[in-house]
Amino acid sequence: MNYNIKPTVKDISYRKLEGYLKWAKIIQWGRKNPIGFCENFFGVEFLDVQKWIFMNTWTKPYNLWCICRNGGKALALDMKIPTPNGFKLMRD
């Protein structure tokens, strides 16, 4: 097969184009309403503080999320984690 040929609109079926448009509408709605999208996707209702935090981090380029004790952040000691000097084991 020749993979250098790019498909044109004539090569894509009407049914496939309808599918792409449906996904594009879902993505656009998710970008306009990220809390509603996440609540529908995960099937849970966020608390007010979670909504506030989510929207504040949605609009800013750099974010830091901190979690208190017993927040489910434990990692296995043999897990590889990224560091500025490459991947290292959690125990290191």
Side-chain angles (χ1 to χ4, degrees):
M1 262 193 143
N2 188 356
Y3 292 106
N4 294 329
I5 298 173
K6 294 183 179 179
T8 62
V9 175
K10 295 177 188 176
D11 296 332
I12 299 174
S13 69
Y14 183 74
R15 187 175 183 184
K16 190 175 267 191
L17 282 173
E18 282 182 335
Y20 289 150
L21 288 174
K22 186 185 283 187
W23 280 111
K25 287 180 182 179
I26 292 170
I27 291 168
Q28 287 175 348
W29 179 76
R31 288 181 178 162
K32 290 178 186 174
N33 185 4
I35 291 174
F37 181 81
C38 289
E39 287 180 337
N40 286 334
F41 185 79
F42 293 116
V44 296
E45 186 176 346
F46 290 166
L47 300 172
D48 289 338
V49 69
Q50 291 170 325
K51 291 177 184 178
W52 182 81
I53 291 168
F54 189 85
M55 284 310 296
N56 277 324
T57 59
W58 184 259
T59 58
K60 295 177 179 51
Y62 302 105
N63 302 295
L64 175 66
W65 290 22
C66 299
I67 303 174
C68 63
R69 283 189 226 155
N70 299 327
K73 58 194 178 302
L75 296 174
L77 292 177
D78 59 346
M79 171 84 67
K80 290 184 178 180
I81 56 171
T83 66
N85 299 325
F87 283 90
K88 298 198 179 209
L89 294 177
M90 184 64 184
R91 73 172 65 98
D92 298 335

